[in-house]
Amino acid sequence: MEQFLAFGIVGLSTAAIYAIIGSGLVLTYTTTGVFNFAHGAAGMISAFVYWQLTIGWDWPVPMAIVAVLLVFAPLFGLAFGKALAPTQGLGDAEKLVMTIALLSGLIVLARWVWNPNESRSLPRFFADRSSIDLGPVTLTWHQALTMAVAVAVAVVLRILLFRTRTGAEMRATVDDRALVGLTGADPRRANRIAWILGIELAAIGGILIAPTVTLDAQQLSLLIVSAYSAAIFGRLRNLPMTFLGAVVIGLMESYLTGYLPSNAYLPGLRLAAPALLLFVALLAFPHGRLRGRDRKLKSVPLPTINGSAAFAAAIVVFGLMLATMLSEADLITYGAMFAWGVIALSYVPLLGFAGQISLCQLSLAGVGAVAYAHLGPDGQWWALLAAMAIAGVVGAVVAVPALRLSGVYLALATAAFAVVLDRWIFTLPSFEILGVRISLFDQGSVSLVGPDLFGLELDSTAEITVFASVCLAVAGVGVALLRRSRFGRRLIALRDSEAAYATLGGSLLVARVLVFALSAAIAGLGGALYGMQLRAVGPDQFNFVAGLPIFLIVTIAGLGAVGAGMFTGMVFAGPLNVIPVLWPGLQNLAQVLPSLGGIAFGGGVLREGAIGPLRKDWFPMLRDRIVAPALGLVVLGLWGLRLIDAINGWMFTLGVVVAAVAARIWHASRTRPEPGPVDVPVEWWGLQRPWDARDREVLDRAVATGS
């Protein structure tokens, strides 16, 4: 019994921290309509700043707390509010881009500033004092302080929201923002206050939880998953229910730690339990209409058959160029762009056509990689199709329970699914189900080989690179045909209005399951190709955080554009790898570029996507029957010079860029319209231009008709 009570005390202490963080999440969502995925990252940064002040610079603890909570956190909250203000009125995916960019960027920033290879820890508060004796159990002063702070937060929030004018203004902003403005109140001020309070609560939670865990940027940021669960208990608007949810989660984690049997299969379950509970809570609790769902929908580009075929041919030629010009080591790094492109392409039908947000595509790619590794150890060709089928089935399994979810709730559910795979499923050793032995990563890594295509064995990295480019080309054409098909139009109708789609006889279940399965199969193909490229992969390469930059880049590229896959692959495997090679000092800056792009996108830059302007500015040149063949010949010539080692790879790249720019200028000069006759006012006839004999007739007719 004493042990049960002791674990209960620990659970309540943890629950207090989750309640503080979760209440900040609810406060900002209800007031601003923005679900802040970076809420945990804000707490993480605050904890690192507190560590820097107290341990790094030896500031006294009270002074450091004052500096973090009264100076840093309010300014940080104002910065959050300023950064997220332009997202009002955007679609769900675009609105999530900004917060996910902040989450990813803050993790990279923390690793940039505080070297992750150095171990850091924070002492607990009042660690030098003896514990409080409560009879059968003892309570540390840190635990008591945590619980007291949670109670104080609950009381202060209650008074603020229901006993002050500011609180009334914040609640009124939630109900009707426009009406609040008409009554003389300032909704923007209410939003600023909400952001300051929300980040303040995240900072308090981060400082309180940091002494109990390893000071790691990713781990601290993902502790927010437990706070997500607590917030879902409160349906993102009820603070007392959020506190109750935090108690349930805290006690569950503590008792799982104490009473979960010790074997090789269950340690991951304890780590994944908050994500599992989040998934269950999302399915179990009813959710109100999402705020901000009345958004402007963008049209989905309609690719042409000829254009799609030409684009596919260009991808294959590009793959051949890379395979013949790059070394083995460079091919492993840069040749992976086609595999990344396939994974990114999986977002196009799911998110671009059907509007279904998924944050687990990289995890599904991991499923495909594992399936191919075990089913095709000798490169059996059918194993690739089987891996796609298995990933598709897993995607369908995600779609069925998530049928009643949409928007941010669907994003949370898929994020929870990804975390469960990371922390538990992918870490499991081999096991048997109904006599069938199942192995995943088997607590290590798995090896993959190139496929054997009816006697044609693809062994070398160059051959696999070309094969991956062919797969991306075929998958791109398939997605383009899907966009032009009846099913593609039905998916777009599903995105525009689920209610109208169902009213007109469409089946939400069938459509969702099919599109989830299709995109998961594409992601599984990408994962298998990525594994072939690297020869061996582990679970860390398919975790939730690693997939965030892909989501950001494909959204920036333009949801719905088939070229978003290749664009994402080139950016992800190109500049992000080239910059550290050319300028090693900019390695950390290169890692934060996707996040900066996401922030710029959320702020209004490239609101229509990056591919749209590229298509508008460059595609007319490629249709020019003189310029385009000339450009092709120049590129082929440069390729030939590179193959005979007359020029190096950098000269080839520079030559292609110069040729492309010159071709565009040439095309512009060819298509520039001829200047027309200058329209000279009638009173200047004979002065600014010569008098014409017909001018008299024109003037006589004008005088006669009075015009």
Side-chain angles (χ1 to χ4, degrees):
M1 187 61 184
E2 290 183 5
Q3 186 183 29
F4 182 83
L5 292 176
F7 281 118
I9 292 294
V10 173
L12 289 176
S13 174
T14 307
I17 298 173
Y18 293 158
I20 294 169
I21 300 175
S23 58
L25 196 62
V26 171
L27 187 66
T28 53
Y29 179 74
T30 53
T31 307
T32 66
V34 177
F35 187 86
N36 186 13
F37 268 87
H39 194 70
M44 175 270 295
I45 289 289
S46 301
F48 270 100
V49 171
Y50 175 72
W51 177 92
Q52 185 64 49
L53 296 178
T54 56
I55 306 298
W57 295 341
D58 289 327
W59 283 28
V61 170
M63 187 183 298
I65 290 178
V66 168
V68 173
L69 298 185
L70 299 185
V71 179
F72 176 75
L75 293 177
F76 205 24
L78 283 175
F80 260 78
K82 188 73 176 176
L84 293 169
T87 62
Q88 299 287 344
L90 293 182
D92 293 327
E94 289 83 356
K95 191 178 292 184
L96 282 176
V97 164
M98 179 65 91
T99 59
I100 291 176
L102 289 172
L103 167 62
S104 179
L106 290 176
I107 291 176
V108 174
L109 179 65
R111 290 175 171 173
W112 187 356
V113 177
W114 294 281
N115 186 355
N117 296 321
E118 295 180 9
S119 177
R120 294 181 179 81
S121 62
L122 278 168
R124 296 171 187 253
F125 289 99
F126 308 112
D128 55 339
R129 295 191 180 185
S130 57
S131 302
I132 304 171
D133 189 1
L134 297 177
V137 296
T138 58
L139 184 68
T140 67
W141 280 96
H142 183 90
Q143 292 170 332
L145 174 66
T146 303
M147 295 180 196
V149 170
V151 173
V153 166
V155 173
V156 169
L157 285 179
R158 176 72 185 181
I159 294 174
L160 172 69
L161 293 176
F162 295 96
R163 298 294 180 87
T164 65
R165 177 177 174 80
T166 301
E169 191 174 287
M170 292 170 65
R171 288 187 289 117
T173 301
V174 176
D175 293 337
D176 194 324
R177 187 183 181 87
L179 186 59
V180 168
L182 291 176
T183 59
D186 188 353
R188 290 176 296 181
R189 186 181 66 179
N191 284 359
R192 285 195 296 270
I193 295 173
W195 280 115
I196 291 174
L197 288 176
I199 300 302
E200 190 83 37
L201 293 173
I204 294 173
I207 292 175
L208 288 174
I209 203 170
T212 64
V213 298
T214 304
L215 206 56
D216 176 76
Q218 180 172 324
Q219 183 181 352
L220 276 175
S221 299
L222 292 186
L223 283 175
I224 192 67
V225 172
S226 301
Y228 290 163
S229 306
I232 292 300
F233 264 77
R235 300 171 63 186
L236 294 178
R237 61 174 181 267
N238 190 321
L239 287 175
M241 287 299 294
T242 300
F243 274 71
L244 176 62
V247 170
V248 171
I249 297 162
L251 291 177
M252 179 193 69
E253 288 186 8
S254 181
Y255 287 128
L256 282 176
T257 303
Y259 296 102
L260 203 64
S262 299
N263 62 51
Y265 298 94
L266 295 180
L269 174 60
R270 183 181 62 78
L271 298 175
L276 276 172
L277 190 61
L278 172 60
F279 197 77
V280 173
L282 283 165
L283 300 179
F285 292 113
H287 307 293
R289 187 179 71 88
L290 285 169
R291 300 183 63 231
R293 291 282 289 172
D294 299 328
R295 74 281 187 190
K296 296 179 181 177
L297 294 171
K298 300 173 184 174
S299 60
V300 180
L302 181 65
T304 63
I305 298 294
N306 293 335
S308 301
F311 185 60
I315 291 175
V316 175
V317 171
F318 187 45
L320 283 170
M321 287 182 173
L322 291 184
T324 53
M325 292 191 297
L326 296 182
S327 64
E328 178 80 8
D330 287 341
L331 268 181
I332 293 175
T333 301
Y334 302 112
M337 70 172 62
F338 301 108
W340 289 122
V342 174
I343 296 172
L345 186 65
S346 69
Y347 279 101
V348 175
L350 183 64
L351 186 52
F353 297 173
Q356 307 298 309
I357 300 174
S358 171
L359 298 179
C360 65
Q361 292 306 102
L362 190 60
S363 302
L364 294 169
V367 172
V370 167
Y372 177 77
H374 291 290
L375 295 176
D378 299 319
Q380 290 88 339
W381 63 269
W382 54 265
L384 201 55
L385 299 177
M388 294 177 63
I390 291 173
V393 170
V394 175
V397 169
V398 176
V400 172
L403 175 64
R404 58 190 297 271
L405 304 176
S406 61
V408 67
Y409 297 122
L410 184 57
L412 281 171
T414 52
F417 180 75
V419 173
V420 170
L421 288 181
D422 298 345
R423 296 183 177 179
W424 185 28
I425 304 299
F426 283 165
T427 64
L428 288 174
S430 301
F431 56 92
E432 288 188 2
I433 295 180
L434 302 176
V436 178
R437 189 162 191 78
I438 298 176
S439 296
L440 300 175
F441 289 99
D442 210 8
Q443 298 184 317
S445 61
V446 293
S447 300
L448 293 89
V449 299
D452 183 352
L453 300 177
F454 310 103
L456 177 62
E457 296 184 6
L458 305 179
D459 292 330
S460 67
T461 306
E463 292 170 341
I464 292 173
T465 300
V466 176
F467 177 66
S469 69
V470 172
C471 289
L472 176 58
V474 173
V477 171
V479 172
L481 293 176
L482 172 68
R483 168 63 183 89
R484 299 181 63 86
S485 69
R486 176 184 173 87
F487 183 57
R489 294 192 293 273
R490 293 173 73 90
L491 289 179
I492 295 171
L494 173 68
R495 181 203 66 161
D496 292 346
S497 174
E498 293 182 356
Y501 179 79
T503 304
L504 295 174
S507 171
L508 291 176
L509 176 62
V510 172
R512 276 195 168 189
V513 169
L514 286 179
V515 73
F516 261 92
L518 174 64
S519 67
I522 296 174
L525 171 64
L529 294 172
Y530 180 62
M532 293 178 204
Q533 197 84 28
L534 299 186
R535 305 289 183 179
V537 289
D540 289 342
Q541 289 160 296
F542 300 100
N543 66 35
F544 170 65
V545 174
L548 295 181
I550 300 177
F551 174 81
L552 291 177
I553 298 174
V554 76
T555 308
I556 294 169
L559 296 172
V562 176
M566 187 64 206
F567 179 91
T568 304
M570 291 183 68
V571 172
F572 201 69
L576 299 188
N577 288 318
V578 170
I579 290 175
V581 172
L582 295 178
W583 303 284
L586 299 181
Q587 181 176 2
N588 290 309
L589 179 62
Q591 293 179 358
V592 84
L593 282 179
S595 302
L596 293 178
I599 293 171
F601 178 82
V605 179
L606 295 176
R607 185 61 58 82
E608 300 300 323
I611 293 180
L614 288 176
R615 184 187 293 114
K616 180 180 178 182
D617 295 339
W618 291 86
F619 275 29
M621 178 195 73
L622 299 177
R623 297 192 186 98
D624 192 312
R625 295 186 177 182
I626 296 177
V627 176
L631 176 63
L633 288 175
V634 171
V635 173
L636 291 176
L638 290 170
W639 185 17
L641 293 175
R642 176 69 188 95
L643 291 180
I644 61 175
D645 285 333
I647 58 175
N648 60 23
W650 294 114
M651 290 295 295
F652 170 81
T653 305
L654 180 62
V656 170
V657 172
V658 170
V661 173
R664 186 185 173 194
I665 295 173
W666 184 18
H667 169 73
S669 65
R670 277 174 40 79
T671 56
R672 185 177 298 124
E674 294 292 335
V678 179
D679 188 14
V680 178
V682 63
E683 60 268 26
W684 293 101
W685 289 2
L687 296 176
Q688 290 190 355
R689 68 169 176 78
W691 179 261
D692 190 280
R694 290 171 297 182
D695 291 345
R696 183 182 183 83
E697 181 181 351
V698 173
L699 291 176
D700 288 344
R701 289 181 182 275
V703 171
T705 58
S707 59

